[in-house]
Amino acid sequence: MKDRFIQIYSAYNDSLFRYCFFRVSDRNTAIDLAQEIFMRYWDNLAKGTKITNDRAFLFTIARNIIIDWYRKKKAISLESLAEGNEDGEEFALVEDNAKGVLELSSESRFLFDKLKSLSKTSQHVLYLRYVEDLNIKEIAEILKINEGAASVRIHRGIEELRKITGYELP
Amino acid sequence: MKNKNLNNLIKELKKISLTVDEKSRLLAQLDAYSASHQPIKTPYYFSRPLTYTFACLSIVILIGGSTVFASEKALPGDVLYPIKIHISEPLKVALATTHEAKDRVRVQHIEERLNEAEILAVQGRLATTTVAEINDSVKSSINSIKSDLSEKNKDDLDIKMSAHSAVLKSIQDHSDDNQKANIQDVENAVRDSTRKDVKNNRVMAKEVKNKVKVIEAKDFERDTKIKDEIKNIDKRIEKSTKRSFKRDDRGRDGGRD
C-alpha cells in the first residue's frame, strides 16, 4: 500500500498542486490543499476503498476539498450565488494580479486572459482536458456527469474559445 | 501560427509545479501522517459481499419494511427511487438462491427500468438525464447476464425486449416532440440489446399486453387523457396482433421476419 501511495504521489503531485494553484491563487495554500488531498487518498487506501482510476479519484477529492475551502472562506461571490453554479460547478481560473503570480509571455498572457473570460464550465473542462491531459471518461467521473455530457461540454468550450480568440484547440 | 500560440500557453501553464524542496517536505509530512494512520484489521472482518449484504439488511430493518415496500412503485426522480435501486433490488438478487433465480430477478429489473421509462414517457416526464441512466443500467445489466443465459432464456429475453420496443414506438407516436427524441434513445438501446427482432408472434403479443397492463396498473395521478392514451395504445397493439394472428393461421411464418 505504501509503495502504491508513493508511486501515485510521484506521478500526480505536480498536477494536483497546479489544479489547486489555479483555483486559489496562492502557492502556500495550494501546497496545503495538495497535502490534504493526498492525506484523504491515503485514508481511502487504508480503509480499502476500491479505486479504479487513481488520477480521476484524486482530482475528485481535489475538487471537493477546494469547494470546502471556498465555503469556509465564504469567498463565493454574490454574482455566482445569484446566477447559481452551472450544475454545481464552482471552477474558475483565479489569478492574483497584484502578486504577479503567473509569468507568461505576452501572447500567452493574452490567451490566458481570454481563457478566464469563458464560462466557468468551459474553463474547467478545457483545463482538465488540455492542461492536465485527462480523458473524457476521467473528466466525466470527476464532474459526476456522463461521458456524453463531458464530451458536449468540451466541444462547447472549444467553440467558445474559438469564437473569442479565433484559435482552435486540437 | 495561432495554434502554436495556444500550444505555447498550455506548455507554460504546465510548467507550474512544486519545487524539489516543496515535494520533499510534502512527502515527509505525508510519511508521518501515513505512519500514524495505518489500516486496522478488525477481528470482526467479513468478506466484502457479505458485509454489503449485512449492511443492506441492517438498513432495511432500520428504515422499515414498509418504506422498502413503498419504494417498489417509485420512478426516477421520486424520493424513494434510490431505495428501490440500491437496497430493494440488490436485496432481491442476494436472496435468490440459485444462479438461474438470480438471472431471472436481474431480467425483471431490466424490465422494470423499461417500465419506468414507458410510464414516464406516457406522463411526458421522460428527461434526457433519466434516459442516460436507464440506458446505462439496461445495457450493463444485459451484458452481465447474457453470457450465462440458456438459449431458451435468451429467446425469452429477446421477446421481452421486442415487446418493449413495440410499446415504446407506440407511445412515441403520440408524444410531444421533446419526448419523441428521448423515447427513441431508449428504444435504440432496447434494440441494440436484442439479438433478433421478434415481430408479431403470439408470445410477443401477450408480452405487449402485459406491459400495457403494468403501465395502467401503476398508481399515478393523471387525468383521463393519459388513461385514454394508454387504452388507445392497447387497442392499436391488439389490432396489429389480430392481423398477425390471421396471417399465422393462414400458415405463414410469423416468428421472424
Side-chain angles (χ1 to χ4, degrees), chain A residues 1-2 5-6 9 13-14 17-18 21-22 27-28 31 34-36 38-40 42-43 45-50 102-105 107-109 111-112 115 127 130-133 146 161 165-170, chain B residues 1-41 45 48 52 128-133 136:
Chain A
M1 192 170 94
K2 195 68 185 285
F5 180 79
I6 290 173
Y9 172 79
N13 56 50
D14 281 332
F17 162 74
R18 189 165 46 237
F21 180 75
F22 279 119
R27 196 173 184 89
N28 288 333
I31 293 173
Q35 181 182 329
E36 204 178 322
F38 281 107
M39 280 161 57
R40 278 207 207 170
W42 171 263
D43 289 342
L45 285 180
K47 67 182 179 189
T49 305
K50 191 181 171 190
L102 276 182
E103 289 177 12
L104 299 169
S105 63
E107 190 56 48
S108 293
R109 165 60 54 194
L111 285 172
F112 188 67
L115 198 61
Y127 177 86
Y130 292 103
V131 179
E132 299 305 340
D133 297 320
N146 64 44
L161 189 68
T165 63
Y167 289 17
E168 299 276 356
L169 279 164
Chain B
M1 177 64 183
K2 283 187 171 179
N3 282 354
K4 192 181 166 190
N5 289 333
L6 209 45
N7 288 336
N8 285 341
L9 168 64
I10 291 171
K11 274 186 196 157
E12 287 183 52
L13 294 179
K14 281 183 177 180
K15 281 180 190 166
I16 293 161
S17 59
L18 294 160
T19 62
V20 171
D21 281 344
E22 285 168 343
K23 283 184 192 178
S24 304
R25 206 166 55 241
L26 189 50
L27 188 57
Q29 286 163 350
L30 289 169
D31 200 42
Y33 180 82
S34 63
S36 60
H37 290 77
Q38 287 292 319
I40 298 166
K41 264 244 163 94
Y45 177 73
R48 199 174 290 275
Y52 285 148
T128 314
T129 46
T130 309
V131 168
E133 285 163 11
D136 285 345

Side-chain angles (χ1 to χ4, degrees), chain B residues 72-132:
Chain B
E72 293 293 306
K73 292 184 180 178
L75 294 173
D78 292 348
V79 168
L80 293 179
Y81 190 70
I83 292 177
K84 179 180 178 182
I85 297 296
H86 298 301
I87 296 174
S88 176
E89 288 184 0
L91 197 55
K92 285 179 188 169
V93 174
L95 291 173
T97 47
T98 65
H99 200 70
E100 199 173 306
K102 283 187 196 297
D103 281 343
R104 269 201 302 276
V105 172
R106 287 188 183 112
V107 168
Q108 282 168 4
H109 293 164
I110 291 168
E111 289 220 82
E112 182 58 22
R113 293 295 81 76
L114 297 174
N115 290 339
E116 288 161 6
E118 285 150 10
I119 292 161
L120 287 173
V122 168
Q123 294 176 348
R125 294 199 292 138
L126 187 62
T128 314
T129 46
T130 309
V131 168

Side-chain angles (χ1 to χ4, degrees), chain B:
Chain B
M1 177 64 183
K2 283 187 171 179
N3 282 354
K4 192 181 166 190
N5 289 333
L6 209 45
N7 288 336
N8 285 341
L9 168 64
I10 291 171
K11 274 186 196 157
E12 287 183 52
L13 294 179
K14 281 183 177 180
K15 281 180 190 166
I16 293 161
S17 59
L18 294 160
T19 62
V20 171
D21 281 344
E22 285 168 343
K23 283 184 192 178
S24 304
R25 206 166 55 241
L26 189 50
L27 188 57
Q29 286 163 350
L30 289 169
D31 200 42
Y33 180 82
S34 63
S36 60
H37 290 77
Q38 287 292 319
I40 298 166
K41 264 244 163 94
T42 157
Y44 307 107
Y45 177 73
F46 292 111
S47 72
R48 199 174 290 275
L50 205 51
T51 308
Y52 285 148
T53 308
F54 280 141
C56 287
L57 280 171
S58 306
I59 289 165
V60 165
I61 291 163
L62 282 170
I63 291 171
S66 58
T67 311
V68 171
F69 187 71
S71 73
E72 293 293 306
K73 292 184 180 178
L75 294 173
D78 292 348
V79 168
L80 293 179
Y81 190 70
I83 292 177
K84 179 180 178 182
I85 297 296
H86 298 301
I87 296 174
S88 176
E89 288 184 0
L91 197 55
K92 285 179 188 169
V93 174
L95 291 173
T97 47
T98 65
H99 200 70
E100 199 173 306
K102 283 187 196 297
D103 281 343
R104 269 201 302 276
V105 172
R106 287 188 183 112
V107 168
Q108 282 168 4
H109 293 164
I110 291 168
E111 289 220 82
E112 182 58 22
R113 293 295 81 76
L114 297 174
N115 290 339
E116 288 161 6
E118 285 150 10
I119 292 161
L120 287 173
V122 168
Q123 294 176 348
R125 294 199 292 138
L126 187 62
T128 314
T129 46
T130 309
V131 168
E133 285 163 11
I134 287 174
N135 286 353
D136 285 345
S137 174
V138 167
K139 278 179 198 168
S140 62
S141 300
I142 286 187
N143 287 339
S144 71
I145 62 169
K146 235 178 187 173
S147 54
D148 293 337
L149 291 178
S150 64
E151 274 308 304
K152 184 190 175 303
N153 286 341
K154 280 181 187 168
D155 286 343
D156 286 345
L157 185 60
D158 284 337
I159 288 171
K160 287 180 197 302
M161 292 293 113
S162 296
H164 277 292
S165 186
V167 170
L168 284 164
K169 277 182 194 154
S170 211
I171 296 171
Q172 187 186 32
D173 287 343
H174 289 77
S175 296
D176 298 332
D177 285 342
N178 61 346
Q179 287 291 280
K180 274 187 171 33
N182 288 345
I183 297 167
Q184 187 60 51
D185 281 344
V186 178
E187 204 265 321
N188 289 343
V190 169
R191 253 189 306 114
D192 290 345
S193 306
T194 314
R195 287 180 314 159
K196 52 186 181 184
D197 200 14
V198 179
K199 281 185 188 170
N200 301 330
N201 79 12
R202 288 173 191 266
V203 178
M204 191 197 118
K206 195 177 167 191
E207 282 287 335
V208 166
K209 284 184 82 68
N210 288 342
K211 275 140 201 37
V212 173
K213 274 184 191 159
V214 165
I215 295 173
E216 279 186 321
K218 288 287 181 183
D219 182 23
F220 54 87
E221 295 163 7
R222 297 299 287 187
D223 54 23
T224 49
K225 192 179 168 190
I226 295 290
K227 289 178 185 167
D228 286 344
E229 186 53 47
I230 292 169
K231 282 184 190 157
N232 286 338
I233 293 169
D234 199 5
K235 278 181 193 161
R236 282 195 297 278
I237 291 166
E238 197 175 329
K239 231 183 189 179
S240 78
T241 51
K242 268 183 186 166
R243 278 202 295 267
S244 77
F245 289 164
K246 279 183 188 167
R247 282 205 293 274
D248 280 351
D249 290 342
R250 275 188 246 128
R252 287 192 197 180
D253 178 19
R256 188 177 174 181
D257 286 338

Side-chain angles (χ1 to χ4, degrees), chain A:
Chain A
M1 192 170 94
K2 195 68 185 285
D3 289 339
R4 180 180 174 183
F5 180 79
I6 290 173
Q7 191 189 0
I8 296 300
Y9 172 79
S10 304
Y12 302 124
N13 56 50
D14 281 332
S15 285
L16 290 169
F17 162 74
R18 189 165 46 237
Y19 182 65
C20 296
F21 180 75
F22 279 119
R23 291 287 285 117
V24 304
S25 183
D26 179 74
R27 196 173 184 89
N28 288 333
T29 306
I31 293 173
D32 290 343
L33 292 177
Q35 181 182 329
E36 204 178 322
I37 292 164
F38 281 107
M39 280 161 57
R40 278 207 207 170
Y41 176 71
W42 171 263
D43 289 342
N44 275 281
L45 285 180
K47 67 182 179 189
T49 305
K50 191 181 171 190
I51 302 169
T52 47
N53 184 316
D54 290 295
R55 184 162 68 160
F57 189 73
L58 284 164
F59 271 92
T60 305
I61 296 174
R63 180 171 170 257
N64 293 336
I65 281 178
I66 290 167
I67 289 172
D68 290 342
W69 183 82
Y70 268 107
R71 282 182 185 151
K72 281 177 196 163
K73 291 245 332 159
K74 295 183 183 171
I76 299 170
S77 70
L78 285 174
E79 190 183 10
S80 72
L81 275 174
E83 69 193 19
N85 294 316
E86 294 168 44
D87 299 323
E89 197 46 71
E90 296 184 23
F91 184 91
L93 293 170
V94 177
E95 190 187 8
D96 188 338
N97 288 315
K99 291 184 184 174
V101 173
L102 276 182
E103 289 177 12
L104 299 169
S105 63
S106 56
E107 190 56 48
S108 293
R109 165 60 54 194
F110 165 77
L111 285 172
F112 188 67
D113 288 342
K114 288 290 180 191
L115 198 61
K116 286 196 295 179
S117 70
L118 297 178
S119 66
K120 289 177 187 175
T121 306
S122 294
Q123 284 182 41
H124 201 175
V125 292
L126 292 180
Y127 177 86
L128 292 174
R129 181 77 186 90
Y130 292 103
V131 179
E132 299 305 340
D133 297 320
L134 291 160
N135 61 42
I136 289 179
K137 192 173 172 185
E138 288 168 328
I139 292 172
E141 189 180 325
I142 292 162
L143 301 182
K144 294 183 182 31
I145 55 178
N146 64 44
E147 287 177 42
S151 191
V152 164
R153 286 192 190 186
I154 291 168
H155 178 75
R156 280 186 190 152
I158 292 170
E159 272 305 296
E160 236 181 284
L161 189 68
R162 190 183 61 75
K163 274 181 191 160
I164 60 172
T165 63
Y167 289 17
E168 299 276 356
L169 279 164

